[in-house]
Amino acid sequence: MSDDKQFQSAAVENEASGKGGLSQSELDELVASSDTGGRSPAGPVGVLILVVALVWSLFQLWIASPIPFIVGWGVFNDTEARSFHLAFALFLAFAAYPAARSPVQLGLALIVPIVLTGLFMYGAKEGVPVWWIPIPAIALIAAVLLGSPKDHIPFWEWGLAIFGALAALYLYVFYDGIAQRVGAPILQDYVVAVIGILLLLEATRRSLGPALMIVASIFLVYTFLGPYMPSIIAHKGNNLSEVVNHQWITTEGVFGIALGVSTSFVFLFVLFGSLLDRAGAGNYFIQVAFSLMGHMRGGPAKAAVVSSAMTGLISGSSIANVVTTGTFTIPLMKKVGFSSEKAGAVEVASSVNGQIMPPVMGAAAFLMVEYVGIPYFDVVKHAFVPAVISYIALVYIVHLEASKAGMEGLPRAYTPKPWVAWLLSLAFTVAVICALSFAVYYLMGWIRPAFGSAAGYVVFAFLTVVYLGLLYVASKETPPKMQDPDEPVTALPLPGPTIRSGLHFLLPVVVLVWALMVDRLSPGLSAFWAAAFMIFILVTQRPLLAIMRKQDIGSEVRNGFLDLLEGLVAGARNMIGIGIATATAGIIVGAVSQTGVGSALADVVEVLSGGNILAILALTAVLSLILGMGLPTTANYIVVSALLAPVIVTLGQQNGLIVPLIAVHLFVFYFGIMADVTPPVGLASFAAAAVSGGDPIKTGVVAFFYSLRTAALPFLFIFNTDLLLIDVTWIQGIFVFITATIAMLLFAAATQGWFLTRNQIHETVLLLLIAFTLFRPGFWMDMLASPFKTVEPAQLEEALADATVGEDFRVTVSGLNAVGEPVTFYALLPVMEGETGADRLLATGVETIENGDKVVIDNVAFGSVAQEAGLDWDQEIVKVQTPQSQPSKYLMFIPALLLLALVVFMQRGRAARRSAAATA
């Protein structure tokens, strides 16, 4: 992002001067320069920016709502909506983000337009005049050199903003004409596309920093200069007509799926989070976490993890999450004994983890729906267990760090109950929650068939009654206030009153989750209804609380509407960078589809890895980490999924690794977001260091070690898809969650060098071995008893006849791929219904013939499971592996638990001797 140098210099200055961190105003400026724009001019210009942002939010609410279809006006198709979305983002990017003046930034702003202008002129075919192509670049360079002040917007910046918006609106204004000449652009199309691409890249540099701009520019260079590339990644090259048509005029590039998801889903979820935070939910979550966990050993750090998890549910930015919760949590962590670097690292690890936490996952969840092709509910289900156990492990890491240093928690605000009374209270609370959950579930299930089209009004009335009840409860409590972290903490807030003071904030979340997971509405419509209910709360909570507290309501009504306006404006400004990022990432996706670089990258990885599956995964992880540097979560996922997910799928299939597509996408996504932690970029680490006053590189290194659990998880769920709850029952899912959590805690204890006491080397090795066994017991069982039996290809039909329906046969196939190159790969064929083996083989869509001692595929039915597995005519079946029974893989837990008992026995003895020595 554009603020990486600012984070770094601020952190270094603080370290040198001995400050504990930046002031609140300086932190607000850091977040603004990162997420909302560093320029906020006063007067009419500032009002205009606020009005444009407000109109953007209202436009997005309008197109997401059912109102346009009811009134028959204001209905936009997907392409038209994307055009408006990008127009708003480009206008606000140039209005809100000044051009950075650092030498590197200035150099890029000059060099990239010059290079791209040369490419555009090189790629212009005969008949396309080129005299005009340098003019947009010259104008852009002149605008950058003239300067970009923070306190006002000069006329040349207005020109960039207006021309950027007009270039984006071109698809809407000339939609009919463009639809009739797809593939044959006219001069007008060339001019608009060249201006649009140059301005989009400049807006990317301003709002997101140089990383994404450089990557997108490299892919444009690759698109034009394909014939001059090394042979392994060379392609025929594309001319200007093809690039203009692919990248700007159609929906293959800039206006592709990524921008479509930003338009339809992401904006509404960012807006929902902004409204929720404006209502006071962010502070509420932090205070609840501190009231519940602040008294524990290392309590502030544990509360930081939990509060970051809760705010991460509504935040699409790990950096904003660091600064939002870190201004409160980092100083308190330092007070109880954490060093500046460790306090910052805990906040970084927990904030970045928020980007993998369902239901939003930094908005990547909605992109996965489109790219993987599975329902949103399934994406959340598959991502849930790894994210939750990663957070649990981070809390445990904090506990281990506190144990090493002998830390204590903050003083309680109350005398705790006896443990029996506490257990009874907990059991009663859980029973009430379960009773309410079942009541709401079956009540809603009864309302819909009973009231038909009026069910929505009944549901709204029911939620309103609950809202009023919870608001009445909140009115009896003093709302928790954010404490000054520089003041001494004498006591924590009381848990009961703190929790009761904001329970109504959970209702919009309930609406969102209900609409997504129970009613199975589209993510966009679900977010609309949640945002609509959030707007209702924002407008009404202040005056209703004033009435219930018998206070004057006049000012509170006005404040409620001001909160709403500020929330709408903040939501739009938070979306500037995401809107720009998804559009620019579309250039990369478009280049991948236009040039076929994905298969070339697979060849590169295959050469470097030598076909070893672990080496393939490790190289892909490193590439994901590199490509994710400096990118926001949404753009990060788009880039790594477009480039690297196909690499794992292709090479995995060729080397015996066949996993569901969602596992592959989660793999590259996890490593992509690790770039926010890892030096030398690690923007979240620089942000945390700016708050803590610690060394940013040391903070990043410590945060990386804290995040090793997140780096280990992708390798584990690639080989054990039970962790993603794929094809498991509820009981199996609970069992997997428990065992995986225990395994992750042991892994954390091993990597941190402390379990019950400080680990010895052999104990660390044993803990890693136990953790691996609990995560993947099948690894050892497969060595003892293979799950497959090899049969001759000629005996395929006989083996199918003896198999159980639903089992998967593992078939090794050799032949030519789509471009005529020889390839060998593995495929899974399910055993279908049929009386004979021949019937079952035919049911999969395969017909075979014997050619001498070879079994050759003679026909593959269109749309069959065999075709989906990659089988095709004239391929040879060289190996068949049929499933066979083996002992339960969970038997391997027995030796693992015995080893764990041994480690506990050894450490308890040392811990007891250490305690006795300390007492003496």
Side-chain angles (χ1 to χ4, degrees):
M1 291 184 183
S2 59
D3 57 332
D4 53 350
K5 296 296 182 185
Q6 190 176 6
F7 283 143
Q8 187 172 5
S9 61
V12 172
E13 287 173 9
N14 283 339
E15 182 71 10
S17 61
K19 293 181 181 179
L22 298 183
S23 67
Q24 186 59 49
S25 61
E26 290 172 315
L27 290 171
D28 291 341
E29 185 178 349
L30 283 180
V31 176
S33 63
S34 167
D35 291 324
T36 62
R39 178 159 56 196
S40 296
V45 175
V47 173
L48 176 62
I49 293 176
L50 296 181
V51 169
V52 173
L54 177 62
V55 172
W56 190 11
S57 288
L58 295 176
F59 170 77
Q60 295 288 160
L61 287 169
W62 172 266
I63 63 174
S65 74
I67 298 175
F69 300 96
I70 295 173
V71 301
W73 177 83
V75 178
F76 298 89
N77 65 33
D78 287 345
T79 304
E80 293 170 336
R82 294 173 192 180
S83 179
F84 273 99
H85 185 80
L86 183 56
F88 277 114
L90 283 170
F91 182 89
L92 289 173
F94 286 108
Y97 288 89
R101 302 299 298 174
S102 70
V104 174
Q105 293 270 20
L106 185 61
L108 284 171
L110 302 179
I111 293 172
V112 169
I114 293 173
V115 171
L116 292 182
T117 297
L119 288 174
F120 294 150
M121 297 180 72
Y122 164 81
K125 294 192 304 184
E126 293 183 7
V128 178
V130 297
W131 61 266
W132 59 270
I133 294 180
I135 296 176
I138 293 171
L140 178 58
I141 292 171
V144 172
L145 292 176
L146 285 171
S148 182
K150 285 189 175 183
D151 57 347
H152 70 279
I153 306 175
F155 72 88
W156 53 87
E157 300 264 86
W158 283 116
L160 297 179
I162 292 170
F163 276 104
L166 291 176
L169 288 173
Y170 181 71
L171 264 70
Y172 170 74
V173 176
F174 296 95
Y175 183 81
D176 293 335
I178 291 173
Q180 295 173 9
R181 61 172 184 270
V182 172
I186 60 177
L187 181 60
Q188 181 176 284
D189 298 336
Y190 286 107
V191 173
V192 172
V194 168
I195 293 174
I197 289 174
L198 290 176
L199 291 180
L200 175 59
L201 291 174
E202 170 61 14
T204 303
R205 183 189 67 81
R206 293 179 180 222
S207 58
L208 302 167
L212 186 57
M213 178 199 195
I214 293 172
V215 173
S217 301
I218 289 173
F219 273 88
L220 285 174
V221 171
Y222 177 73
T223 302
F224 282 104
L225 303 182
Y228 304 102
M229 295 293 154
S231 59
I232 195 170
I233 60 171
H235 65 98
K236 70 177 184 63
N238 299 97
N239 58 44
L240 182 61
S241 174
E242 293 169 334
V243 171
V244 163
N245 183 73
H246 197 81
Q247 294 286 9
W248 199 268
I249 302 303
T250 66
T251 56
E252 296 295 324
V254 171
F255 295 93
I257 289 176
L259 187 64
V261 172
S262 178
T263 305
S264 303
F265 309 146
V266 177
F267 189 103
L268 291 165
F269 279 88
V270 171
L271 179 61
F272 173 69
S274 176
L275 294 173
L276 197 58
D277 185 61
R278 188 63 201 169
N283 176 45
Y284 172 72
F285 289 154
I286 294 173
Q287 295 296 331
V288 167
F290 268 84
S291 69
L292 294 175
M293 307 190 72
H295 66 281
M296 298 178 180
R297 188 187 293 269
K302 293 176 182 175
V305 174
V306 175
S307 60
S308 292
M310 291 190 286
T311 54
L313 296 177
I314 58 174
S315 170
S317 168
S318 54
I319 295 172
N321 205 349
V322 165
V323 176
T324 301
T325 60
T327 51
F328 182 62
T329 60
I330 289 175
L332 287 177
M333 282 190 266
K334 292 170 68 175
K335 283 183 182 179
V336 296
F338 281 86
S339 67
S340 297
E341 287 76 20
K342 287 187 177 180
V346 169
E347 184 59 47
V348 169
S350 55
S351 295
V352 171
N353 231 78
Q355 305 304 289
I356 65 173
M357 190 72 185
V360 177
M361 297 167 62
F366 312 108
L367 290 160
M368 286 184 188
V369 170
E370 300 294 327
Y371 289 159
V372 181
I374 61 176
Y376 171 82
F377 178 82
D378 289 346
V379 171
V380 171
K381 180 182 75 172
H382 298 323
F384 178 77
V385 168
V388 171
I389 64 175
S390 183
Y391 260 121
I392 293 172
L394 183 55
V395 172
Y396 184 60
I397 287 173
V398 167
H399 176 78
L400 294 176
E401 288 285 4
S403 298
K404 292 180 192 177
M407 298 178 193
E408 298 295 334
L410 296 174
R412 288 180 183 266
Y414 67 103
T415 302
K417 300 177 183 178
W419 68 272
V420 175
W422 183 85
L423 286 177
L424 290 174
S425 175
L426 176 63
F428 177 77
T429 303
V430 171
V432 169
I433 292 174
C434 291
L436 287 174
S437 301
F438 280 106
V440 170
Y441 182 86
Y442 288 108
L443 177 63
M444 298 288 277
W446 168 78
I447 287 175
R448 294 209 173 275
F451 290 93
S453 60
Y457 301 103
V458 176
V459 171
F460 176 73
F462 171 75
L463 289 173
T464 302
V465 171
V466 175
Y467 166 59
L468 292 173
L470 293 177
L471 211 58
Y472 179 78
V473 172
S475 70
K476 303 300 180 184
E477 308 293 347
T478 302
K481 294 182 179 179
M482 188 74 79
Q483 302 176 8
D484 185 348
D486 295 327
E487 295 180 358
V489 180
T490 56
L492 293 167
L494 287 166
T498 303
I499 292 171
R500 291 193 294 270
S501 68
L503 285 173
H504 56 285
F505 292 135
L506 301 180
L507 287 178
V509 180
V510 170
V511 172
L512 175 63
V513 174
W514 181 273
L516 284 170
M517 299 186 180
V518 179
D519 272 0
R520 301 293 180 95
L521 300 180
S522 69
L525 191 55
S526 300
F528 168 76
W529 289 119
F533 197 77
M534 194 64 242
I535 290 172
F536 171 69
I537 289 178
L538 262 175
V539 173
T540 60
Q541 73 167 346
R542 283 180 177 269
L544 286 175
L545 283 171
I547 293 172
M548 293 173 182
R549 291 170 177 162
K550 298 180 180 179
Q551 299 170 346
D552 178 47
I553 68 167
S555 61
E556 296 301 329
V557 171
R558 183 179 67 256
N559 289 336
F561 279 100
L562 285 176
D563 284 342
L564 173 59
L565 290 176
E566 290 174 2
L568 291 172
V569 171
R573 294 195 68 155
N574 287 335
M575 268 301 299
I576 298 172
I578 297 177
I580 296 294
T582 52
T584 308
I587 293 178
I588 299 169
V589 175
V592 171
S593 63
Q594 192 169 28
T595 63
V597 67
S599 59
L601 192 59
D603 292 339
V604 173
V605 173
E606 184 176 29
V607 169
L608 293 176
S609 66
N612 181 278
I613 196 63
L614 282 177
I616 290 170
L617 292 174
L619 281 169
T620 308
V622 172
L623 288 172
S624 299
L625 197 64
I626 294 171
L627 289 172
M629 287 183 178
L631 301 187
T633 303
T634 313
N636 191 324
Y637 170 67
I638 296 168
V639 172
V640 296
S641 64
L643 286 173
L644 299 174
V647 172
I648 297 179
V649 172
T650 303
L651 296 183
Q653 194 175 26
Q654 293 176 11
N655 293 277
L657 178 67
I658 305 173
V659 293
L661 192 57
I662 182 65
V664 174
H665 278 252
L666 285 173
F667 181 94
V668 296
F669 177 55
Y670 269 50
F671 281 104
I673 63 169
M674 282 286 288
D676 270 352
V677 176
T678 312
V681 178
L683 296 184
S685 298
F686 282 112
V691 179
S692 69
D695 180 85
I697 300 299
K698 289 181 181 177
T699 301
V701 171
V702 176
F704 173 76
F705 279 101
Y706 288 167
S707 300
L708 281 177
R709 74 207 189 286
T710 307
L713 276 170
F715 284 95
L716 295 167
F717 63 59
I718 279 284
F719 291 104
N720 182 10
T721 56
D722 288 355
L723 289 172
L724 302 180
L725 301 181
I726 295 176
D727 297 330
V728 297
T729 64
W730 278 103
I731 294 176
Q732 290 174 323
I734 294 171
F735 178 74
V736 166
F737 175 75
I738 293 172
T739 55
T741 301
I742 295 172
M744 184 54 72
L745 297 182
L746 295 175
F747 179 81
T751 55
Q752 296 305 306
W754 189 283
F755 186 31
L756 302 180
T757 186
R758 189 173 302 280
N759 296 343
Q760 295 181 354
I761 295 178
H762 63 277
E763 292 172 339
T764 296
V765 173
L766 286 177
L767 287 173
L768 289 173
L769 181 63
I770 296 165
F772 177 76
T773 303
L774 294 179
F775 268 124
R776 198 186 167 206
F779 177 82
W780 306 111
M781 187 56 71
D782 290 350
M783 288 184 173
L784 298 176
S786 175
F788 291 101
K789 178 178 65 175
T790 302
V791 300
E792 293 296 325
Q795 299 174 349
L796 176 58
E797 292 185 3
E798 291 85 344
L800 284 171
D802 297 333
T804 303
V805 174
E807 290 182 332
D808 287 328
F809 270 46
R810 194 179 181 93
V811 180
T812 307
V813 178
S814 178
L816 301 179
N817 61 14
V819 294
E821 297 176 347
V823 64
T824 299
F825 63 93
Y826 294 78
L828 290 179
L829 285 182
V831 178
M832 311 292 284
E833 296 280 356
E835 294 184 2
T836 65
D839 293 338
R840 292 182 172 185
L841 182 61
L842 191 61
T844 65
V846 175
E847 295 181 32
T848 62
I849 59 173
E850 293 191 19
N851 185 4
D853 58 348
K854 297 181 180 180
V855 176
V856 179
I857 298 174
D858 189 44
N859 185 32
V860 176
F862 178 77
S864 63
V865 294
Q867 186 190 50
E868 292 176 0
L871 272 60
D872 206 348
W873 293 354
D874 294 334
Q875 292 174 340
E876 179 190 354
I877 299 177
V878 296
K879 186 177 181 181
V880 176
Q881 292 177 292
T882 66
Q884 65 178 359
S885 61
Q886 64 173 171
S888 173
K889 62 183 179 181
Y890 297 115
L891 290 174
M892 302 310 301
F893 285 179
I894 297 175
L897 294 176
L898 290 175
L899 283 177
L900 179 59
L902 176 62
V903 173
V904 170
F905 175 77
M906 291 188 294
Q907 292 213 350
R908 283 190 65 182
R910 289 207 313 279
R913 290 192 294 272
R914 180 170 172 245
S915 177
T919 304

